[in-house]
Every structure is written in C-alpha cells, then in structure tokens.
Amino acid sequence: MTDVLVVSTVGTSILTNAADDDELREFIKRNANVRTFVGDEDRASLEAIKTQVQAELGKVDPTDQHQVGRLSAELKVLSLWRRTEPARRHRHLLLATDTALGQLAAACVRDALETLLGIKAEVEQIGGLQVASSNGLREALPGLMKAIDDRRDEQTAVVFNLAGSFKSVSGFLQQAAALWSAEVLYSFETADELVRIPTLPLDMALGDVALQSLRRAEILPEGIPTSEVEGLAGASVLFTEADEGRMLPSDWGRLLWVRQATQIYRARLLDPPTDRVVFGGQFPDEVARRAAGQPELFVRVNERIDDLSAWLEGGRQALPKRSTVKKLSGSFAPATHEAYATSDGPAYRILFRDEGQKIVLLELREHL
C-alpha cells in the first residue's frame, strides 16, 4: 500500500464564504496579511467569523458533494480526491499562511475535514508564507521543506492541493512541487471535476563549484560577481542578475541550494563564503574532532559561519534570529566575542577575534 502525503495550502475562502455580511468580508480582504490582531474590535470580528464558519459547517450534509464543495476550494478538491483515489494510506498536511486569518482558516478547514469527510489533518503555519512580499516567500522555503520532509521518506508520494491558496503562493509552490516530483491538484469553480497536473522532477546534478557559488550568492547580501558564474554549466537557470555585475540565485537555484544545503553542511566544515571570515589556529581540526559522530554539529557551525559572513558583508546589521553573538569579558584573549553554535546537549560556542574588517574564528568549545 503506497503512502501518500497530501499537502494542501489554505486560503481564506472558507472564511469569506461563511461571512454573512459585507463588513466582515471586507475585514477579511483588508487584513489578509496581518499576523496578529491586538485591538478589541478586530478580535471581535475574528470571533464573529469563526462563529459563522462553525454555523455553516453545522448545515452541511457530508454526503452532498456540492454542499461540501461550496464551503471552500480546499475542501472541494479533497472531497473529489477521496472519491476518486484507490485505497491507499493518505496523510494530510494543511499549510497555513503566516497570518492570523490564515491560522483561523486552516483550523476551520481541519475541523471541516474531520467532521464532514472523516479526514484527520495536521496544520503547519509556515513563517514567511504570505503574500506581502516575494522575500517572504523565499524565506518560507526552508520551513516548507522541513514541514514536508519531516513527514515523509523515500517511499512517500507527495501530492499538492493548491486550489485554496493565494495566487502568488500557488505560483511559488507550483515550482516547489518539482522538488518532490509532486502531482498538483486543482478544481474548476464551475465543475465537480478534479484536475491533476503531473510535475516534472527537479533533479539537476550540481558540482561542488556550482553549489558553493549558490551558497555564496544566497548568503552574501549583494550576491556574487557575474565573473564567478561565467562558463558555469546551468548558470542561466541557477542565477539571475541583481545589479549590474552581480548575481543572485534564481528561484530554481534557491530551491536547489536549500534542498541540498543540509546534506552538504553535514559532511564537513566548509570554507567561509567571504574572505572577511577566516579560520585561525587549530579551528578546523577542532571542529572536525568535536563533530566526529555528531554531524549536526557540522551543520550548526557551518550555519553560524554563514550568518557571521552575511552580518559582516551586510554592514553589521541584525543577525538572523537563529544566531547570537556576545562580547566576551574576562581572560579569553585573543578571543573577543563568542557566537552560539548550539544551545543544547552540549551547548557549543564559537570563540572569535573581531578585527573590524574581518573576524578570525579561533576555538569551538563547550559552554562553561
């Protein structure tokens, strides 16, 4: 019996379809990208919408395909899918946008699936998965990939139900579906017919040079020089020109890099992506010794080196949330600062010397 993971993006149609007045529908439209409601009036509107959705669910005959389909686009497709698919082990994952209304809509769809179709589904709210900016969608990719990959193995078929998502999110995930060779499901609003779109697998064999260039282009705020990718096989697909003479990863390049980054990071300590971060003393040997038998430590150290590189090249603006840097006090010379590599079991710190234009990584040690 084949294992199938059905991934459904959730829009707000279940909310707008249930809203019984223009004011609430306008509230949903106006606040599609709001992450958190703080005002009493807004929270009251949210509760009113939730109450109306629950009331609509209570009116639906679960044996009536048309009634179920009118609730939302996601439910329509999943209802058709369940009727037409052979008996296989299906698991369902609902991807909520990074908004208050997205979280409410996903919870409502989850409840409707269980109540009307007998389908149990998990909800995952993906950070950055919203329609406010393309940068947010790019930032959402690692969380999206983790949510799916954590729930599958090599024998799991992945199916994307994109009927309910916002158009910008749908277009983004249509490309991402190729990472899992995932079939994509839609349904026309005016017909009870399931549309199944096969997706070609994205399986480009990338050499080490291409991967390292993608890494640098992804991490460094201004990208990499065009000269670095000249003559590189597949460069026109993997990279896109940002400013004159500078290249950033294309959407395909970013997808490929994120898909392979963890595997590459687990193998060894990589050279820093900028010459403003350098290894000093026995740092590489010490990392290799401590990471023997625990490759996740390689991953964390490589990620922190990436963060420090982006921080320096970006004018020492805010570090990514996963990284913390603190100035050292006491007798740690020649180290001046520490960066948190891990925070648990055991907690490791990277000690480095800040020289202004560059930093020198000196030691990886357990936190005292």
Side-chain angles (χ1 to χ4, degrees):
M1 182 177 291
T2 304
D3 178 35
V4 181
L5 178 64
V6 184
V7 181
S8 299
T9 51
V10 179
T12 56
S13 63
I14 195 168
L15 308 182
T16 54
N17 290 345
D20 62 1
D21 61 64
D22 292 339
E23 186 175 340
L24 282 179
R25 284 190 286 271
E26 179 59 30
F27 173 85
I28 295 169
K29 181 179 179 181
R30 185 175 64 251
N31 294 287
N33 292 318
V34 174
R35 284 189 167 90
T36 305
F37 291 117
V38 294
D40 291 341
E41 186 175 346
D42 288 340
R43 287 199 293 265
S45 296
L46 204 64
E47 282 300 315
I49 294 167
K50 181 179 179 180
T51 299
Q52 291 179 12
V53 172
Q54 292 171 339
E56 286 300 309
L57 289 180
K59 301 175 185 177
V60 173
D61 178 358
T63 65
D64 189 323
Q65 174 68 43
H66 296 285
Q67 289 187 31
V68 174
R70 281 198 297 269
L71 284 172
S72 79
E74 304 92 337
L75 289 167
K76 180 178 181 180
V77 165
L78 292 177
S79 178
L80 290 168
W81 163 265
R82 194 186 67 161
R83 287 195 319 174
T84 58
E85 271 297 290
R88 298 194 288 182
R89 190 163 74 88
H90 297 166
R91 291 177 290 122
H92 290 264
L93 175 64
L94 304 178
L95 298 181
T97 56
D98 189 14
T99 64
L101 287 171
Q103 190 170 11
L104 174 60
C108 291
V109 170
R110 179 194 59 204
D111 293 345
L113 282 173
E114 185 167 0
T115 301
L116 301 176
L117 302 178
I119 293 174
K120 291 186 179 294
E122 293 183 82
V123 173
E124 185 89 28
Q125 189 169 27
I126 305 295
L129 189 62
Q130 40 87 19
V131 297
S133 71
S134 57
N135 285 337
L137 291 176
R138 293 189 181 102
E139 292 168 3
L141 182 59
L144 167 68
M145 295 186 64
K146 179 174 174 55
I148 295 175
D149 283 341
D150 282 354
R151 293 172 170 85
R152 63 178 289 274
D153 57 34
E154 293 182 359
Q155 305 304 314
T156 304
V158 179
V159 175
F160 272 39
N161 167 20
L162 302 182
S165 61
F166 296 100
K167 289 182 179 179
S168 58
V169 174
S170 176
F172 173 77
L173 294 180
Q174 176 75 56
Q175 294 186 68
L179 291 168
W180 296 277
S181 304
E183 183 180 39
V184 177
L185 306 179
Y186 290 101
S187 177
F188 295 114
E189 292 183 8
T190 56
D192 289 335
E193 181 179 349
L194 191 65
V195 179
R196 308 174 69 143
I197 304 173
T199 302
L200 296 175
L202 182 61
D203 188 20
M204 292 180 63
L206 300 180
D208 188 64
V209 173
L211 286 169
Q212 293 307 321
S213 293
L214 277 174
R215 177 195 180 208
R216 283 171 34 76
E218 173 71 9
I219 293 164
L220 304 182
E222 296 183 0
I224 58 176
T226 302
S227 59
E228 186 171 328
V229 303
E230 289 176 351
L232 190 65
S236 61
V237 175
L238 300 173
F239 299 91
T240 184
E241 189 169 20
D243 298 320
E244 186 174 354
R246 308 293 296 185
M247 305 295 285
L248 291 172
S250 66
D251 286 342
W252 285 117
R254 182 170 285 107
L255 290 172
L256 284 165
W257 167 247
V258 172
R259 188 68 185 276
Q260 299 184 49
T262 299
Q263 180 180 350
I264 295 167
Y265 284 178
R266 286 171 61 91
R268 59 185 174 86
L269 178 66
L270 302 176
D271 290 334
T274 171
D275 58 10
R276 297 182 65 186
V277 176
V278 299
F279 296 150
Q282 301 299 311
F283 184 79
D285 293 337
E286 186 174 5
V287 173
R289 178 177 62 81
R290 291 187 179 275
Q294 48 175 342
E296 286 304 312
L297 184 55
F298 273 137
V299 176
R300 300 294 169 255
V301 172
N302 281 317
E303 288 176 343
R304 298 308 172 266
I305 291 172
D306 287 353
D307 293 345
L308 291 171
S309 299
W311 179 56
L312 281 179
E313 294 288 350
R316 295 178 181 255
Q317 299 301 312
L319 279 161
K321 292 180 181 179
R322 67 185 181 185
S323 288
T324 300
V325 168
K326 290 186 176 180
K327 190 171 184 178
L328 291 170
S329 59
S331 57
F332 291 94
T336 59
H337 293 73
E338 65 175 0
Y340 287 29
T342 63
S343 297
D344 51 10
Y348 284 101
R349 303 291 185 259
I350 299 172
L351 272 57
F352 66 88
R353 183 173 67 252
D354 189 342
E355 297 183 352
Q357 291 302 308
K358 70 176 183 180
I359 63 175
V360 182
L361 307 182
L362 298 172
E363 184 180 354
L364 178 69
R365 64 183 299 173
E366 292 186 32
H367 182 55
L368 300 178

